[in-house]
Amino acid sequence: MTARAIPAPRTAAVRSAVKPAVAALGFLAALAGGAAAQDDVERRVNDLLARMTLEEKVGQLNLISHGKNELRWEDIAEGKTGALINFNNAQDVARAQALAKSSRLGIPPLFGLDVLHGFRTQFPVPLGEAAAFNPGLSRLAAEWSAKEASYVGVNWTYAPMADLSRDIRWGRIVEGFGEDPYLGSVITAARVEGFHAGGLTTSAKHFAGYGAPIGGRDYDTTHIPVAELRDVYLPPFRAAIEAGTPTIMAAFNALNGVPSMVNAWLLTDVLRGEWGFDGFVTSDWAGIHELLAHGVAADPAEAARKAILAGVDMDMVGGFYIKHLPDEVRAGRVPQSVVDESVRRVLRVKMRLGLFDKPFVDPSRVDAIFPSPEARQAAREIARETFVLVRNEGDVLPIRPEIRSIAVVGPLADAARDQLGPHGARAHAEDAVSVVEGIRRRAAPSGIAVNFAPGCDLFCRQADQIAAAVEAAKRSDLVVAVMGEPHEASGEAASRAYLTFLNRQPELLEALVATGKPVVLLVMAGRPVELGRFADKIPAILHTWFPGTEAGPAIADVLFGDFNPSGKLPVSWPRTAGQLPIFYNRLPTGRPTRADNRFTLGYMDEAVTPLYPFGYGLSYTRFAFTDLKVAQERVRPGETVSVTVTVTNTGARAGQEVVQLYTRDPVASRSRPLRELKAFDKIMLAPGEARQVTFNVPVERLGFHQEDGVYVVEPGEIQLFVGGSSAADLAGRVEVIDGVRIVPGEQRASAGKPRL
Ligand code: BGC
């Protein structure tokens, strides 16, 4: 078996123009194949349920891990588990499949793993993916990841993370799409579709509000007003469900005082009642156990009871359901019907996935056949589109022909494991092409010398290598400095109070700047970092996130101008951590910032604006936006607002621009955000080429939620802004005649209509 035997995802061209439209047809609906097939699934589920003992039922709700001391293989044969986590190779999967088959009812397990942005081949981290503003690429990366993982029998990924975050102190911002609910919905849906197309089912996580812990501290409590929750934090989950995700993971933290794992309003009223979700909810890792520490359950039995009554169907590794639910049912504290319904949900998902009819995985399969050349090529093409060029004074980039030697410096220049990001699944560092190696390969044929000197250890704790790096810089025409975060400084449990460059990195950077050589700074990190004095001192700055296996070649493509950067910031880049949380779609205040009036919004010691706004990113060419036209002066519910703009490439290179449409409702019954992204389109323009771009936004998407959950579009003016970032200033307007009012639950009737 060679890697080539795995067919490439069917998305033909990576750079084909991709519209941010989300396919309406859900994965499950497609699998279920219509009403008759749905009925058949329900009949089979009920038949099976009727034959199950209480213990077997509860077994289906028990998710166990392959951890070193945790796994009792006998549990699988005894029907004590419905799903397994951290099985990542065909031998173990096949063994577990056979054991499950030998159990009394032979119900196949789900095999879950955190396949976030790659299995063996690593694609860019999700926040980087979001920076591409190209859902086609997100879909493609997910599809590749799924193809590799499902090859060895994994069939369920704990992804995508649909958590919006406005606070880059939170380490897990790297796993999501940033700060915007519309971008987040589009990317989340694309990732669900991609995973499904590649053979992995999904679990959108962490429901809900996990991305807004106070202080940016992972696991900390969250306070989000209901109207804001519905406008900002829930839409990406809704999008995941509409794209067909059959499972949802409940969040660790407490939302408005109620831990998500016992939040019946969230898990039952909203998720099932309003949205019609008929899949299952899993807890996060030992999340039901953690209800004791949350202080909402006195003992394990109470924790299990409260969680299942709230709507958590599956207990991930905590072991509370398997131990306590049978007694809770027998004592009448948990109705049998509640357990039955949870089991029904789990079995329904398994049936729809066809698990009962699938052959076992071939245990001779190994992931060592990856990454294939095709996967590498895809990883490279996707990665280079995620880089965001935030500064390029004097057009230092792309590297000019007269540059004959380059010093490649910095702790992340040769950090194969770190460039893969915090979640590696089955990643192997030896598969990865480092930044320095990518630059060497590109420079060698042109006779350009590469002088590599890391400058310090990975965490940059020592300064003894700085002198050698300075020497390398002095011997070179250009310095490329690769700074940022080792992978351990990003991801789960990697919240940061300081966002400055780690340890001695500033000293190293300062020494490089002092050589007088032009410095190109590559920020490799899971979030923006605080640039401080370097913001003005360094001529070229490119944020690369964690680009994955093909980081080196992808970065070389952009540095040398073989690929024109087109990424845009999916999150505001603050000047300093003290500004956090900071986000573009903020509400106005009664005292808008004015330089000449102290008693207005601001800080005594720092600007109130971010260093770089959401949606911002440069190209090697330039774009002009002109001739904004709004087709209608007035629109009514049921109609769309049509906004057309002309975009011209005024530079000398071909390039892609992300054309962005923002709205503002200037007078409403509640304060409305200063800007809200409503649509975007990524287009390629040849030098001098002009193109008209039209956005059609349904009137129903111009509203907001009230605190009681009612969604309204109010009559009145809507302002429109189009441009290449959230600071877009080409403006228009439209008048909305008549309002829209949708009470929770009735939203289900709008299936097929735009998401609210
Ligand atoms: C994380 C989840 C993850 C799970 C299983 C938890 O700690 O919060 O996102 O899916 O572990 O690895």
Side-chain angles (χ1 to χ4, degrees):
M1 184 83 193
T2 67
R4 282 173 185 275
I6 303 272
R10 59 175 185 275
T11 312
V14 171
R15 276 186 287 135
S16 61
V18 200
K19 292 256 192 293
V22 178
L25 188 62
F27 171 61
L28 288 182
L31 272 179
Q38 297 263 30
D39 289 349
D40 189 46
V41 165
E42 292 306 308
R43 190 185 45 72
R44 289 175 67 197
V45 166
N46 286 325
D47 283 354
L48 189 51
L49 198 64
R51 289 188 285 132
M52 294 171 83
T53 64
L54 178 56
E55 276 67 22
E56 283 167 336
K57 288 176 181 173
V58 171
Q60 286 302 303
L61 310 182
N62 188 33
L63 170 50
I64 63 177
S65 170
H66 195 309
K68 275 197 196 94
N69 305 316
E70 292 153 70
L71 183 65
R72 281 181 73 247
W73 287 92
E74 315 81 272
D75 284 350
I76 305 172
E78 291 164 13
K80 290 183 178 160
T81 179
L84 301 143
I85 180 172
N86 291 337
F87 277 62
N88 58 18
N89 63 81
Q91 299 71 51
D92 285 344
V93 170
R95 182 178 169 196
Q97 282 176 321
L99 286 170
K101 185 82 183 169
S102 75
S103 67
R104 193 179 76 88
L105 294 167
I107 302 175
L110 281 160
F111 292 94
L113 188 69
D114 288 311
V115 180
L116 304 188
H117 51 96
F119 181 63
R120 174 96 186 220
T121 310
Q122 296 300 310
F123 295 84
V125 288
L127 188 60
E129 248 185 41
F133 275 71
N134 185 339
L137 290 191
S138 297
R139 190 185 192 284
L140 186 64
E143 191 170 349
W144 270 111
S145 312
K147 278 192 175 284
E148 290 190 358
S150 60
Y151 176 73
V152 300
V154 176
N155 53 24
W156 186 26
T157 177
Y158 303 112
M161 189 183 90
D163 293 309
L164 179 140
S165 184
R166 296 167 154 180
D167 192 333
I168 63 168
R169 289 173 297 183
W170 188 54
R172 295 195 82 169
I173 197 165
V174 68
E175 284 181 58
F177 50 80
E179 74 187 34
D180 183 69
Y182 176 70
L183 176 66
S185 298
V186 169
I187 299 293
T188 300
R191 302 191 76 221
V192 167
E193 290 169 9
F195 282 126
H196 290 175
L200 269 190
T201 197
T202 49
S203 188
K205 65 187 187 185
H206 307 81
F207 199 58
Y210 183 51
I214 52 170
R217 291 178 293 269
D218 209 0
Y219 317 123
D220 214 335
T221 196
T222 295
H223 294 281
I224 309 173
V226 172
E228 187 176 322
L229 188 74
R230 289 182 181 273
D231 279 342
V232 177
Y233 290 89
L234 295 188
F237 286 95
R238 187 93 191 267
I241 290 167
E242 288 181 5
T245 196
T247 80
I248 295 281
M249 185 187 294
F252 281 131
N253 50 359
L255 170 65
N256 299 332
V258 183
S260 290
M261 239 106 11
V262 291
N263 196 328
W265 173 77
L266 201 56
L267 302 180
T268 298
D269 299 353
V270 174
L271 184 64
R272 272 115 182 186
E274 293 179 23
W275 298 356
F277 176 70
D278 71 350
F280 72 84
V281 173
T282 175
S283 78
D284 199 346
W285 187 275
I288 298 175
H289 192 291
E290 290 178 11
L291 293 172
L292 302 177
H294 269 294
V296 295
D299 53 45
E302 187 181 0
R305 178 168 75 244
K306 284 194 162 172
I308 195 155
L309 290 177
V312 179
D313 303 300
M314 192 176 271
D315 177 5
M316 185 193 286
V317 309
F320 279 13
Y321 276 10
I322 193 92
K323 280 199 204 88
H324 301 288
L325 281 185
D327 283 347
E328 289 299 295
V329 171
R330 281 189 279 265
R333 287 187 290 267
V334 171
Q336 173 74 57
S337 59
V338 169
V339 170
D340 283 358
E341 188 50 33
S342 288
V343 178
R344 201 174 274 122
R345 290 169 183 152
V346 171
L347 294 178
R348 185 185 287 142
V349 168
K350 291 184 176 183
M351 296 244 178
R352 287 180 184 172
L353 289 171
L355 295 192
F356 288 82
D357 314 312
K358 273 193 185 148
F360 294 172
V361 69
D362 172 358
S364 70
R365 291 183 168 189
V366 287
D367 63 49
I369 64 166
F370 307 123
S372 66
E374 293 85 351
R376 279 189 183 279
Q377 184 61 23
R380 175 178 182 167
E381 293 185 12
I382 293 169
R384 63 194 187 184
E385 201 159 322
T386 66
F387 305 154
V388 186
L389 183 68
V390 290
R391 188 171 157 88
N392 194 16
E393 289 304 297
D395 292 336
V396 169
L397 289 177
I399 294 170
R400 296 186 194 148
E402 59 268 28
I403 300 291
R404 304 312 304 157
S405 54
I406 304 172
V408 179
V409 175
L412 291 154
D414 190 20
R417 171 62 194 90
D418 297 88
Q419 71 187 36
L420 306 177
H423 275 274
R426 283 287 271 188
H428 286 229
E430 61 269 25
D431 296 338
V433 187
S434 71
V435 180
V436 64
E437 178 56 21
I439 292 175
R440 274 192 194 118
R441 285 184 194 173
R442 177 59 178 77
S446 320
I448 300 170
V450 173
N451 301 315
F452 172 57
C456 59
D457 56 293
L458 187 59
F459 275 84
C460 226
R461 293 196 175 102
Q462 312 294 333
D464 52 351
Q465 297 179 58
I466 292 182
V470 167
E471 271 319 298
K474 285 184 178 159
R475 277 188 286 126
S476 309
D477 300 331
L478 178 78
V479 180
V480 173
V482 197
M483 307 288 194
E485 296 180 316
H487 77 272
E488 285 180 64
S490 172
E492 184 172 352
S495 294
R496 294 181 58 193
Y498 299 96
L499 295 170
T500 44
F501 284 108
L502 284 175
N503 301 321
R504 313 295 280 259
Q505 284 188 27
E507 209 175 313
L508 172 59
L509 210 43
E510 194 70 68
L512 295 172
V513 171
T515 64
K517 299 289 173 135
V519 176
V520 174
L521 171 63
L522 304 184
V523 180
M524 186 184 287
R527 54 191 137 204
V529 293
E530 187 173 324
L531 292 174
R533 62 189 186 279
F534 297 112
D536 303 323
K537 277 190 177 179
I538 295 185
I541 303 174
L542 183 76
H543 202 310
T544 69
W545 320 101
F546 294 113
T549 306
E550 288 290 303
I555 286 173
D557 285 343
V558 168
L559 294 182
F560 287 87
D562 305 331
F563 186 81
N564 193 347
S566 62
K568 300 281 183 171
L569 290 176
V571 64
S572 304
W573 189 318
R575 296 169 193 273
T576 180
Q579 292 182 308
L580 294 169
I582 189 167
F583 46 96
Y584 85 95
N585 46 358
R586 50 157 299 125
L587 301 184
T589 80
R591 296 189 174 191
T593 310
R594 270 178 48 185
D596 62 350
N597 185 346
R598 174 180 174 168
F599 295 96
T600 59
L601 183 78
Y603 294 106
M604 292 296 298
D605 51 2
E606 185 50 275
V608 77
T609 52
L611 182 61
Y612 302 113
F614 172 86
Y616 171 82
L618 302 171
S619 159
Y620 295 153
T621 187
R622 281 165 182 67
F623 299 96
F625 294 82
T626 52
D627 302 327
L628 185 146
K629 289 192 189 72
V630 186
Q632 310 80 357
E633 269 177 40
R634 290 181 197 82
V635 281
R636 293 190 159 71
E639 297 178 353
T640 53
V641 185
S642 241
V643 184
T644 300
V645 65
T646 302
V647 187
T648 309
N649 180 347
T650 57
R653 280 172 180 268
Q656 296 184 91
E657 174 64 310
V658 179
V659 187
Q660 303 164 45
L661 170 71
Y662 294 86
T663 59
R664 180 179 179 195
D665 183 347
V667 182
S669 57
R670 299 172 68 90
S671 283
R672 300 302 304 139
L674 295 172
R675 293 277 161 106
E676 289 181 273
L677 181 67
K678 289 293 173 191
F680 62 87
D681 198 0
K682 191 163 193 174
I683 58 168
M684 169 67 89
L685 292 177
E689 186 183 350
R691 184 163 334 146
Q692 280 198 337
V693 173
T694 298
F695 296 111
N696 293 306
V697 181
V699 171
E700 283 72 13
R701 286 196 49 225
L702 298 175
F704 54 90
H705 288 90
Q706 298 170 342
E707 225 23 43
D708 58 3
V710 172
Y711 180 85
V712 291
V713 179
E714 295 180 342
E717 180 188 4
I718 295 288
Q719 298 170 346
L720 305 153
F721 307 91
V722 178
S725 82
S726 57
D729 53 10
L730 190 62
R733 64 181 297 283
V734 70
E735 188 82 15
V736 175
I737 311 288
D738 293 343
V740 173
R741 187 182 153 81
I742 303 175
V743 295
E746 287 179 16
Q747 291 182 24
R748 282 173 63 187
S750 74
K753 290 221 183 104
R755 242 170 278 114
L756 301 179

